[in-house]
Amino acid sequence: MKALIVDDDRTLADLLSFTLRRAGFETVQAFDAPGAVSTFQQDSYDIILLDVNLPGGNQLQNGFDVCRRIRETSNVPIILLTVRDDEEDIIKGLNLGADDYILKPFSPRQLVARVQTVLRRAKEGQALMPAAFSARDIHFDPNRHEFTRGGAEPVLLTRLESRLMEILFLNANQVLPTATLIDHVWGPGGATPDMLRQLIRRLRQKVESDPGNPQMIQNHPGIGYRFIP
Amino acid sequence: MKALIVDDDRTLADLLSFTLRRAGFETVQAFDAPGAVSTFQQDSYDIILLDVNLPGGNQLQNGFDVCRRIRETSNVPIILLTVRDDEEDIIKGLNLGADDYILKPFSPRQLVARVQTVLRRAKEGQALMPAAFSARDIHFDPNRHEFTRGGAEPVLLTRLESRLMEILFLNANQVLPTATLIDHVWGPGGATPDMLRQLIRRLRQKVESDPGNPQMIQNHPGIGYRFIP
DNA sequence: CGGGGCTGTGACGGCCTTGTGATAAAGCTG
DNA sequence: CAGCTTTATCACAAGGCCGTCACAGCCCCG
């Protein structure tokens, strides 16, 4: 497995290299946009780690350009490295064909986990990408189980919480029957309404600003719940 | 599968295109009302995504006109893109023959899910329940259990109230026998006429402007009730 | 004119649903 | 194995949906 690491911060690039080598990768580094493109063209890689905030002038200088250029000739998996404040960068990058993103700062474990996830997905040929939900000031990424509200810290959801949030968000503004929710979270008939109530409760505690007066996740007696972004 | 996307906001139109293409659609874009109509006439489409808030002057300029023009010659599924505050737009659009609507903002996955739902419904010859009922200035969405009248606040209906409204609206202007109503709400023989009277009463309290003098839900002695939008 | 059936109205209460807290079991990490 | 997180189970209180009942008004008919 061979990885191309593109980052102008050489310390960070070294750290990335070190981490990935420990995980069994070969690594090659590039420190600016032209270098990245030419390096990429000289050899084939299994995955690209790409900092979007490459410094520089006006043409073929930042990470997006690199992403576009690579995508013109290859569909190698690309993971973007971005900072939290820039949701737009993420969307822009994903639209240019990147496969996933990682928010800086990140731990080595996160990095390896993401890389392996992306590689597994790529191998299975399922390029599921627009997996993130967002509406107004909230944002939810089911792949990494993160729920973000406004500029606040992302909240980590558990597996079941994430699946619940997924179907709620997917059918925003609609009342979803209890059975439908159970089917999607646990599988058909895989749970009792009791368990769903507890799950709803825990999810509210995590995502509602006032869990005592839930605004986003509303109940409709005898029917089910509804999510209002 | 071919989709026509009509939105004056080109960024949004691009995003919609991108999303649907990833989901396996071909997409064509139009950015104003005349363009939408002429594009539609040049080719056949499986579904139309239509922003109702197209800007422009006074004739054949907004989304409603497009909806009407398309409906004059075709019954291709149409999904409206609207904002939450504009219940009236939704009512108007559905009256003109749109099949469903989705509230902005929405995420790519939500959009795909809704498009597929509408297509499935269309393919099955709409043997299923319509996505929403609308007539004159009233609007009923069985998925949300909401009843809206004019520009007023939506009224939340309970489970039984919603089922009753469903069959009433589905057979508007017809006299429905008591037994028919009971069958649909409770299941065959699942209730006494007493219970139906109470339910009718509670529904009237919620949706009639003067519950003392019911206009919409009228009684026909010895037979049943009739719903007049 | 009186009675019976049907309907609208109001009140009451039971029971189901929901929210909440506590606690135990299960799964994962180191 | 210890310790933590996650999930399931149980008990209980509050609230509201909805079923039941009683009564008044109305129309029809004898």
Side-chain angles (χ1 to χ4, degrees):
Chain A
M1 281 293 172
K2 205 162 179 181
L4 173 58
I5 294 166
V6 185
D7 201 320
D8 60 298
D9 178 349
R10 305 208 173 202
T11 306
L12 182 55
D14 285 341
L15 179 59
L16 291 171
S17 285
F18 176 74
T19 304
L20 287 180
R21 283 176 186 276
R22 275 186 54 151
F25 288 81
E26 298 174 54
T27 62
V28 175
Q29 299 184 10
F31 308 105
D32 54 30
V37 173
S38 69
T39 304
F40 172 76
Q41 288 167 343
Q42 287 166 22
D43 205 342
S44 78
Y45 295 88
D46 297 292
I47 194 162
I48 316 281
L49 294 179
L50 178 59
D51 188 341
V52 295
N53 289 321
L54 298 178
N58 36 22
Q59 58 179 356
L60 189 51
Q61 291 289 357
N62 65 28
F64 297 118
D65 296 319
V66 175
C67 188
R68 190 182 308 120
R69 287 292 293 274
I70 290 177
R71 269 289 170 275
E72 287 171 1
T73 62
S74 163
N75 56 0
V76 59
I78 299 178
I79 295 181
L80 302 175
L81 312 179
T82 73
V83 291
R84 164 157 313 138
D85 317 331
D86 244 330
E87 292 277 342
E88 292 193 27
D89 274 7
I90 296 170
I91 297 186
K92 193 171 166 187
L94 293 176
N95 282 347
L96 286 173
D99 294 81
D100 204 347
Y101 62 97
I102 293 183
L103 297 180
K104 291 190 284 190
F106 48 83
S107 69
R109 279 189 54 184
Q110 287 178 317
L111 174 70
V112 174
R114 288 276 95 198
V115 166
Q116 287 173 343
T117 300
V118 169
L119 283 176
R120 172 165 32 85
R121 266 200 323 243
K123 196 177 64 181
E124 292 170 358
Q126 39 176 297
L128 73 135
M129 194 282 303
F133 298 94
S134 58
R136 304 182 188 278
D137 65 333
I138 67 181
H139 179 78
F140 170 58
D141 186 330
N143 282 329
R144 71 183 60 194
H145 303 171
E146 277 180 1
F147 181 92
T148 314
R149 172 167 199 158
E153 276 292 295
V155 182
L156 276 180
L157 304 184
T158 70
R159 185 171 47 93
L160 296 184
E161 287 162 1
S162 186
R163 301 183 64 129
L164 178 58
M165 178 57 88
E166 191 177 339
I167 190 172
L168 285 175
F169 219 136
L170 198 56
N171 302 83
N173 295 303
Q174 294 190 30
V175 180
L176 295 175
T178 303
T180 304
L181 298 173
I182 289 178
D183 286 357
H184 188 269
V185 175
W186 284 274
T192 65
D194 269 7
M195 292 156 63
L196 178 63
R197 262 191 307 152
Q198 284 303 326
L199 190 60
I200 289 274
R201 168 172 168 73
R202 288 195 296 267
L203 187 55
R204 278 177 173 158
Q205 300 259 0
K206 285 193 180 180
V207 305
E208 292 276 2
S209 53
D210 177 12
N213 275 24
Q215 301 298 314
M216 283 190 284
I217 304 177
Q218 297 182 353
N219 170 257
H220 282 235
I223 309 169
Y225 293 85
R226 140 155 105 163
F227 176 72
I228 300 179
Chain B
M1 281 293 170
K2 206 162 178 180
L4 174 59
I5 294 165
V6 184
D7 201 318
D8 61 298
D9 178 350
R10 302 206 175 206
T11 306
L12 182 56
D14 283 342
L15 183 59
L16 294 174
S17 283
F18 176 77
T19 303
L20 288 180
R21 283 178 185 277
R22 285 198 78 102
F25 289 81
E26 297 175 54
T27 61
V28 175
Q29 299 184 10
F31 307 107
D32 54 30
V37 173
S38 69
T39 304
F40 172 76
Q41 287 167 343
Q42 287 165 22
D43 206 340
S44 76
Y45 296 88
D46 297 292
I47 194 161
I48 316 279
L49 295 180
L50 179 58
D51 188 340
V52 294
N53 289 322
L54 297 179
N58 35 23
Q59 59 179 355
L60 190 50
Q61 292 289 358
N62 63 29
F64 299 116
D65 297 319
V66 175
C67 191
R68 189 184 309 118
R69 287 292 294 274
I70 289 177
R71 270 289 171 275
E72 286 172 1
T73 62
S74 163
N75 56 0
V76 58
I78 299 177
I79 296 180
L80 301 177
L81 313 180
T82 72
V83 292
R84 181 196 302 280
D85 317 330
D86 243 330
E87 289 281 342
E88 296 194 28
D89 275 5
I90 297 170
I91 296 174
K92 201 168 161 188
L94 291 173
N95 279 341
L96 287 173
D99 293 83
D100 203 347
Y101 60 97
I102 183 167
L103 297 179
K104 291 191 281 191
F106 49 82
S107 291
R109 284 187 63 184
Q110 295 175 309
L111 174 73
V112 172
R114 186 59 65 89
V115 165
Q116 287 173 343
T117 299
V118 170
L119 284 176
R120 173 161 27 88
R121 216 167 37 215
K123 196 177 66 180
E124 291 172 0
Q126 36 187 321
L128 299 178
M129 190 74 51
F133 297 95
S134 191
R136 301 178 189 277
D137 65 333
I138 68 180
H139 172 62
F140 170 59
D141 187 328
N143 287 324
R144 292 167 171 71
H145 299 95
E146 278 179 358
F147 182 91
T148 313
R149 170 166 201 155
E153 275 293 293
V155 181
L156 285 179
L157 303 184
T158 70
R159 183 170 48 96
L160 296 185
E161 288 161 1
S162 189
R163 303 182 65 140
L164 177 58
M165 179 57 89
E166 240 174 58
I167 190 172
L168 285 176
F169 220 135
L170 204 54
N171 303 83
N173 296 307
Q174 296 181 31
V175 180
L176 293 173
T178 303
T180 305
L181 298 174
I182 289 179
D183 286 358
H184 188 268
V185 175
W186 283 274
T192 66
D194 268 8
M195 292 157 63
L196 178 62
R197 262 193 307 151
Q198 281 305 323
L199 189 59
I200 289 275
R201 166 172 167 71
R202 290 190 238 268
L203 186 55
R204 278 176 173 159
Q205 298 259 359
K206 284 194 179 179
V207 304
E208 292 277 2
S209 53
D210 177 12
N213 274 20
Q215 301 298 315
M216 283 189 285
I217 304 176
Q218 296 183 352
N219 171 256
H220 284 238
I223 310 174
Y225 293 86
R226 162 155 83 156
F227 176 71
I228 301 179

